[in-house]
Amino acid sequence: MHPAVAVGLVFGGCCSNVVFLELLARQFPGCGNIVTFSQFLFIAVEGFIFEANFGRKRPAIPMRYYFIMVAMFFTVSVVNNYALNLNIAMPLHMIFRSGSLIASMALGIIILKKRYSVSKYTSIALVSLGIFTCTFMSAKQVASDSSLNEEDGLQVFLWWLLGIAALTFALLMSARMGIFQETLYKQFGKHSKEALFYNHALPLPGFLLLAPNIYHHAVLFSQSEPFQVPVIGLTLPIMWFYLLMNVITQYVCIRGVFILTTECTSLTVTLVVTLRKFVSLIFSILYFRNPFTAWHWLGTAFVFVGTLMYTEVWNSLGPFLARWRKRPKEE
């Protein structure tokens, strides 16, 4: 498949996925569990049919390693989605998750004993400063926007702090999972599709612990206003339509990233994913009119410039721009 098609899948799938997630979270902020369960179920069924060949194909990586990876992946997914129920706005949610480079570098230094260049440390400092700026300004907004009495306002702020703690935990756990995957792939070879299937299939029994919450939101979704799906003419509650589209776009997004990793360098993949996050953030702010001050824009700029510095995109673009400038002269 041509890389341009994969880039299109990433931008189209991931950006629209964020839109449908926000449509769900705005109506029912606590719907993270049913969203996570639906995504896991869809990808697990698809993987069982096309990757595991209905259970007949033996895994290349021993199952005991998958159980460890799955415990991390399940925790990260549930905590990230649940954070939306703790007064965390979608833009801050996206910015905070863009700080994965910090967590990866920190754990890489501690666990893998890696050493980095000065430019890498500078880029991480920029990302950290950007996240701190956005988080601090959001904290002021939570404190000032509360039109409740002082006691209730404090309670809202404390829930917000818990949300920040949840995002921080998920960020570190995700980085630790990345390091664990890196060591596994070095030992057994890369098996991305297999890992995708087991990461989504094995945690499914864990959702039994969240069954009451999932069932509660399923009932709420069924009570939402009816919506007629264009083209096919099917009528269903609009929240179920949003959930269905969220699941489909999540799958398109994941498949796009997977195709991109097989067709392009890791640098290109990181650049595409970073730009996708930026586009999603801008769309969320403009379309949903999320509160975003000049300080938030400054913090966002720090995060994305730092990310691009870390991936050394400038070094790759330099020779390309030089050739592009010479071309008119040669003609």
Side-chain angles (χ1 to χ4, degrees):
M1 186 179 290
H2 196 277
V5 178
V7 172
L9 290 175
V10 171
F11 272 87
C14 300
C15 292
S16 53
N17 177 256
V18 171
V19 172
F20 287 111
L21 178 60
E22 185 150 3
L23 287 168
L24 288 163
R26 280 187 164 236
Q27 191 70 27
F28 299 107
C31 69
N33 290 331
I34 192 173
V35 172
T36 309
F37 171 70
S38 303
Q39 292 173 351
F40 274 52
L41 183 63
F42 183 88
I43 294 172
V45 170
E46 188 273 344
F48 182 72
I49 297 170
F50 297 105
E51 173 58 26
N53 193 18
F54 296 94
R56 290 193 289 266
K57 182 181 175 183
R58 290 178 62 85
I61 298 174
M63 290 298 294
R64 64 180 182 276
Y65 294 115
Y66 276 125
F67 279 111
I68 298 171
M69 194 190 303
V70 158
M72 297 180 186
F73 186 67
F74 177 76
T75 305
V76 168
S77 299
V78 171
V79 170
N80 267 328
N81 280 335
Y82 191 74
L84 293 170
N85 197 29
L86 300 172
N87 298 326
I88 300 294
M90 186 63 77
L92 180 61
H93 193 272
M94 285 189 277
I95 292 166
F96 217 92
R97 292 179 68 178
S98 297
S100 54
L101 288 175
I102 309 170
S104 297
M105 176 180 275
L107 293 185
I109 292 170
I110 296 168
I111 298 172
L112 301 178
K113 309 298 180 186
K114 287 185 176 180
R115 292 294 176 264
Y116 299 91
S117 63
V118 175
S119 64
K120 289 280 196 286
Y121 288 116
T122 305
S123 66
I124 291 302
L126 274 175
V127 173
S128 304
L129 181 61
I131 290 176
F132 174 78
T133 303
C134 290
T135 305
F136 181 74
M137 295 312 296
S138 295
K140 290 182 69 176
Q141 277 186 342
V142 170
S144 61
D145 290 354
S146 180
S147 57
L148 308 170
N149 59 51
E150 189 175 338
E151 185 178 338
D152 289 339
L154 177 63
Q155 187 178 15
V156 168
F157 183 70
L158 289 175
W159 279 114
W160 179 86
L161 283 179
L162 184 61
I164 293 297
L167 287 177
T168 304
F169 170 78
L171 200 64
L172 292 170
M173 181 65 77
S174 178
R176 181 64 186 90
M177 184 179 73
I179 291 173
F180 184 70
Q181 284 178 317
E182 188 179 329
T183 56
L184 280 184
Y185 291 158
K186 282 181 181 177
Q187 185 177 353
F188 299 102
K190 285 191 175 183
H191 301 279
S192 304
K193 288 180 72 175
E194 179 184 289
L196 183 67
F197 164 62
Y198 284 108
N199 277 343
H200 288 81
L202 293 179
L204 288 177
F207 285 101
L208 289 172
L209 300 172
L210 308 171
N213 180 270
I214 293 171
Y215 176 76
H216 172 67
H217 280 90
V219 172
L220 292 176
F221 281 16
S222 298
Q223 294 172 350
S224 61
E225 61 181 283
F227 173 78
Q228 188 173 42
V229 182
V231 183
I232 61 175
L234 178 68
T235 301
L236 73 165
I238 193 165
M239 297 306 291
W240 282 114
F241 173 73
Y242 289 158
L243 181 62
L244 176 65
M245 294 306 297
N246 176 267
V247 169
I248 292 172
T249 52
Q250 172 76 359
Y251 176 74
V252 171
C253 175
I254 290 175
R255 293 293 295 162
V257 172
F258 170 74
I259 295 167
L260 209 59
T261 55
T262 59
E263 299 288 341
C264 307
T265 64
S266 59
L267 177 65
T268 305
V269 175
T270 306
L271 176 59
V272 169
V273 171
T274 301
L275 292 175
R276 192 279 302 169
K277 287 179 181 177
F278 187 72
V279 171
S280 297
L281 178 66
I282 300 300
F283 188 86
S284 175
I285 294 161
L286 297 179
Y287 184 77
F288 291 102
R289 297 181 181 177
N290 283 303
F292 218 70
T293 65
W295 285 104
H296 285 92
W297 283 114
L298 181 63
T300 304
F302 282 149
V303 170
F304 286 101
V305 169
T307 302
L308 295 177
M309 278 182 63
Y310 184 90
T311 55
E312 298 177 348
V313 168
W314 320 118
N315 297 343
S316 302
L317 288 178
F320 173 77
L321 292 174
R323 288 197 302 271
W324 186 75
R325 285 170 184 162
K326 286 179 182 177
R327 193 176 298 167
K329 294 178 182 178
E330 292 172 357
E331 292 173 355

